[in-house]
């Protein structure tokens, strides 16, 4: 059931969470599938609804740093980054406090915990009204694209979610940056809108990315498994032309790619102005639209590997991976 987010529907959603149910929760990044993080059975419903492998730990959404400190051991890096970037699209991995009450399933048995204070007022309202820490992965079937509208959540999960709080399209459109600050050196596990440069500037150090593709050990962030963000239609990256039967996902002008009579439903433009933030917010919904247009493949134009473009390319290369 999709309900417009209001004072009353937020209160109703908070009750659903307290009673062990699932709520589709808008955040500034993507819609989350929310459950009470203290309630293991409610958390299990998340994995069941998503068809997600249970080793994949969830982000716990909190109202502020004080609440975060109930569940994690703080350190100086985390404190600096929290004052700089919370509320916002930065998830911090920290050592988990023993006896914090957070379900072991939510953290997949790890001795670390992922925490984030979302900036979206409706997410904030739901956390505060329920008084709970909220476990929420993206509200889609495992391996599918992350939802950026209430309709995406409904299409992917249907009746498996008790209520979807609808608050329009997500502003950022890409999942949060995941930064591991539990070790001696902070490292990015998943790129997002808060970039390595932004983090490095605050901490006065160079910030690197974890290599999840070397195959030498289990990926530290299991959500970084290859082929995670995948449409059904094959994806071809860095296209400089459009081949027979292909759809086009453009960035900037598409004048040199297709003729003016190319079918409208087979092309989308992430950003005609080459604005990377606009492109990020359009990425998943446009991929989904092109996934339905009947093309044999989606040709994607080159996206600059800078700023949030790094995160866009990360998601695109996963979308392009075939098994
Ligand atoms: O923007 C977002 O982060 C959205 C909204 C709803 O907040 N949530 C989201 O959650 O994208 P999810 O579950 O799809 O991605 C969480 C990522 C996964 O890659 C997971 O493996 C990683 O965070 N993660 C969670 N806990 C972790 C931990 N303790 N150590 C390492 N990685 C962890
Ligand atoms: Mg996800």
């Amino acid at each position: 059931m999709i309900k417009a987010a209001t004072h009353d529907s937020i209160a109703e959603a908070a009750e659903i969470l307290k009673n062990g149910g699932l709520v589709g929760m808008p955040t500034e990044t993507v819609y989350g599938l929310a459950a009470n993080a203290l309630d293991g059975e409610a958390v299990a419903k998340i994995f069941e609804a998503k068809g997600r492998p249970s080793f994949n730990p969830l982000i716990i959404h909190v109202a502020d740093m004080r609440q975060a400190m109930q569940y994690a051991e703080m350190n100086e890096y985390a404190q600096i980054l929290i004052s700089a970037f919370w509320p916002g699209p930065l998830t911090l991995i920290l050592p988990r406090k023993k006896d914090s009450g957070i379900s072991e399933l939510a953290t997949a048995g790890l001795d670390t915990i992922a925490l984030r204070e979302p900036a979206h007022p409706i997410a904030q309202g739901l956390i505060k009204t329920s008084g709970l820490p909220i476990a929420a992965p993206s509200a889609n079937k495992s391996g599918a694209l992350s939802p950026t509208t209430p309709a995406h959540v409904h299409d992917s999960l249907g009746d498996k979610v008790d209520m979807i709080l609808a608050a329009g399209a997500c502003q950022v459109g890409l999942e949060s940056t995941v930064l591991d600050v539990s070790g001696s050196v902070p490292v990015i596990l998943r790129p997002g809108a808060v970039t390595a440069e932004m983090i490095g500037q605050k901490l006065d150090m160079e910030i690197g990315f974890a290599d999840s593709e070397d195959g030498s050990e289990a990926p530290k962030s299991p959500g970084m498994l290859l082929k995670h963000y995948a449409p059904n239609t094959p994806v071809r990256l860095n296209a400089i032309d459009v081949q027979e039967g292909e759809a086009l996902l453009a960035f900037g002008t598409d004048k040199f790619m297709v003729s003016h009579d190319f079918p409208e439903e087979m092309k989308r433009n992430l950003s005609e102005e080459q604005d990377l933030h606009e492109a990020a917010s359009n990425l998943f919904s446009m991929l989904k639209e092109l996934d339905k247009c009947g093309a044999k493949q989606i040709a994607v134009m080159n996206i600059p590997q800078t700023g949030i473009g790094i995160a866009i390319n990360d998601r695109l290369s996963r979308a392009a991976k075939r098994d």
Side-chain angles (χ1 to χ4, degrees):
M1 165 200 16
I2 300 183
K3 283 202 175 175
T6 61
H7 186 78
D8 286 352
S9 61
I10 291 172
E12 197 183 328
E15 281 308 307
I16 290 173
L17 292 179
K18 285 183 199 164
N19 293 322
L22 300 183
V23 172
M25 170 178 76
T27 84
E28 74 279 23
T29 56
V30 300
Y31 274 73
L33 180 59
N36 175 3
L38 303 172
D39 178 346
E41 282 180 32
V43 171
K45 287 187 196 163
I46 292 180
F47 291 108
E48 188 182 49
K50 282 181 68 84
R52 165 180 260 199
S54 58
F55 53 73
N56 203 346
L58 306 176
I59 296 171
I60 312 302
H61 297 71
V62 294
D64 50 30
M65 173 151 111
R66 239 187 37 195
Q67 192 185 5
M69 288 173 75
Q70 296 178 12
Y71 314 124
E73 306 288 353
M74 275 298 151
N75 59 43
E76 206 182 328
Y77 292 141
Q79 275 164 347
I80 293 169
L81 297 173
I82 285 172
S83 48
F85 299 114
W86 279 16
L90 176 67
T91 295
L92 296 173
I93 309 294
L94 283 160
R96 181 191 151 116
K97 264 194 182 155
K98 289 201 178 63
D99 309 319
S100 66
I102 300 286
S103 139
E104 284 282 345
L105 185 58
T107 50
L110 299 173
D111 51 16
T112 52
I113 183 168
L115 292 165
R116 167 165 119 80
E117 180 190 343
H120 199 291
I122 305 306
Q124 290 259 351
L126 186 58
I127 298 167
K128 286 184 182 137
T129 307
S130 67
L132 297 169
I134 294 182
S138 50
N140 53 272
K141 288 270 182 194
S142 190
L145 295 165
S146 288
T148 53
T149 66
H152 291 162
V153 180
H154 183 75
D155 290 350
S156 195
L157 297 172
D159 292 341
K160 293 191 161 71
V161 42
D162 297 300
M163 185 202 282
I164 299 167
L165 276 177
C170 302
Q171 188 209 334
V172 177
L174 272 189
E175 305 88 343
S176 61
T177 304
V178 178
L179 181 76
D180 187 350
V181 281
S182 69
S184 50
V185 183
V187 55
I188 292 183
L189 304 183
R190 180 176 72 181
V194 176
T195 63
E197 296 81 60
M198 290 159 71
I199 294 166
Q201 204 185 23
K202 292 290 171 196
L203 299 182
D204 201 18
M205 60 169 71
E206 188 105 11
I207 300 296
F209 297 82
D211 184 6
S212 63
E213 300 186 23
D214 63 358
S216 60
E217 54 182 333
K220 229 186 153 192
S221 181
M224 297 300 286
L225 293 171
L226 296 177
K227 192 168 184 308
H228 185 61
Y229 304 92
N232 294 317
T233 314
V235 170
R236 184 168 68 87
L237 302 180
N238 301 319
I240 50 168
D241 60 2
V242 177
Q243 294 162 7
E244 185 66 35
E246 279 188 332
L248 171 64
L249 186 60
F251 180 76
T253 179
D254 60 12
K255 258 199 326 229
F256 310 104
M257 302 292 287
V258 289
S259 60
H260 63 274
D261 56 359
F262 190 79
E264 274 310 313
E265 70 276 10
M266 291 188 65
K267 67 174 188 189
R268 290 290 181 274
N269 202 319
L270 289 171
S271 172
E272 279 173 39
E273 268 72 59
Q274 302 199 321
D275 176 334
L276 286 169
H277 286 97
E278 181 184 23
S281 70
N282 283 331
L283 181 65
F284 290 136
S285 52
M286 289 185 173
L287 272 176
K288 281 179 195 185
E289 285 162 14
L290 293 180
D291 202 17
K292 286 189 212 145
C293 78
K296 70 163 211 273
Q297 186 157 276
I298 302 169
V300 185
M301 286 168 70
N302 179 267
I303 311 288
Q305 183 70 356
T306 158
I308 197 174
I310 296 171
I312 296 174
N313 284 322
D314 172 74
R315 305 309 189 277
L316 279 171
S317 65
R318 284 164 211 288
K321 220 90 230 160
R322 293 283 119 185
D323 46 13

